[in-house]
Amino acid sequence: MEVKLLSHTPEPERVVATAARLCYAPQAAEEVWAGFTPEKQQEFIDKLVDYGHLSPFEHVAFTFAITGVSRALSHQLVRHRIASYSQRSQRYVNEAAFAVVVPPTVAADPVAQEEFMRVIGQIQAGYNRLTALGIPKEDARYLLPNACQTQLIMTMNARSLLHFFSLRCCRRAQWEIRALAWKIRQEVIKVAPLLFREAGPACLVQGKCSEGAMTCGRPYTREEVDGEA
């Protein structure tokens, strides 16, 4: 799995601070923008986070290239609706030699991995036979498994990313999307540390688990989260 931050709103923290300050300022937007030093940005954003006033975070967006993930992951990812996605199409791209994501539990068991790859090989052979018979790729793809690797571009605003982290950095999140969430978190903290100083699982950020009776009972510590950065 690889995650690369392709682009983001320039000066994201200044944008958020300006948008929030403008709501209460008699000055023009340009004056508010000019008056925000890095120190004032930090002070203002800290207040926004502490108050839970996060709507100004929606003014900045981050675009990522995500590769080497499974279709099982991408089906979960698009459940985060306030985002934009462009995914490699199995309708138009020939999957004659598709790569797969192997779950760690399978990879750790030689017998299980052998069985997993045996079935993948059968699917691959079946897909190739269908396309050789002239079946369109858009129909042959019905054989393809959730393990099939894909790549996509995702754009999400800062507020949606904070919500994404609160759910997907959780220990109970499915292993692959949890790994993706921590990688994305690493990327955004590099360019907007003030916006994402409280980014992480709900147990740490909100002080309580959001999973209710399904809690794992092992809340993250600050040291663990900092270790993921």
Side-chain angles (χ1 to χ4, degrees):
M1 175 191 300
E2 293 185 12
V3 175
K4 182 177 181 180
L5 178 61
L6 295 180
S7 68
H8 61 84
T9 303
E11 298 190 67
E13 294 164 338
R14 195 176 188 182
V15 169
V16 169
T18 299
R21 183 71 184 89
L22 184 67
C23 297
Y24 308 98
Q27 301 100 324
E30 294 84 354
E31 295 178 69
V32 176
W33 174 271
F36 262 119
T37 63
E39 294 75 21
K40 288 184 177 179
Q41 291 173 45
Q42 179 169 1
E43 179 183 356
F44 209 82
I45 290 172
D46 284 348
K47 289 181 180 179
L48 293 177
V49 173
D50 290 341
Y51 296 160
H53 180 37
L54 300 181
S55 60
F57 283 52
E58 297 173 12
H59 289 288
V60 299
F62 300 80
T63 298
F64 308 90
I66 301 170
T67 59
V69 296
S70 71
R71 280 270 172 167
L73 179 143
S74 68
H75 294 333
Q76 294 182 79
L77 191 58
V78 296
R79 293 173 64 190
H80 294 272
R81 296 177 181 83
I82 305 178
S84 299
Y85 305 96
S86 298
Q87 185 174 13
R88 184 176 67 195
S89 172
Q90 291 180 335
R91 183 182 184 191
Y92 297 108
V93 175
N94 192 308
E95 296 284 8
F98 66 83
V100 297
V101 173
V102 181
T105 54
V106 174
D109 184 332
V111 176
Q113 183 165 5
E114 182 180 358
E115 175 64 12
F116 186 92
M117 296 311 298
R118 182 187 67 80
V119 175
I120 291 296
Q122 291 179 332
I123 293 172
Q124 181 74 85
Y127 175 90
N128 292 344
R129 285 195 295 269
L130 288 180
T131 55
L133 290 169
I135 301 300
K137 293 187 291 293
E138 67 178 19
D139 293 335
R141 65 177 169 164
Y142 278 73
L143 285 180
L144 297 176
N146 276 336
C148 189
Q149 282 192 17
T150 189
Q151 57 182 315
L152 55 95
I153 301 293
M154 181 185 79
T155 301
M156 193 177 285
N157 71 49
R159 188 180 192 179
S160 293
L161 279 168
L162 288 171
H163 180 252
F164 174 72
F165 296 142
S166 73
L167 297 177
R168 303 301 188 171
C169 288
C170 173
R171 296 189 202 275
R172 292 203 67 255
Q174 187 262 351
W175 68 269
E176 191 180 12
I177 200 167
R178 183 173 67 247
L180 176 67
W182 284 109
K183 283 182 176 290
I184 291 175
R185 180 181 178 275
Q186 290 171 359
E187 291 298 303
V188 296
I189 284 177
K190 294 174 186 175
V191 297
L194 300 182
L195 298 185
F196 295 103
R197 71 175 175 85
E198 292 296 334
C203 60
L204 183 77
V205 176
Q206 300 171 16
K208 63 178 181 179
C209 179
S210 60
E211 293 292 301
M214 301 298 289
T215 180
C216 71
R218 296 184 295 128
Y220 270 96
T221 65
R222 173 56 64 184
E223 290 73 22
E224 286 179 298
V225 171
D226 289 345
E228 296 282 359

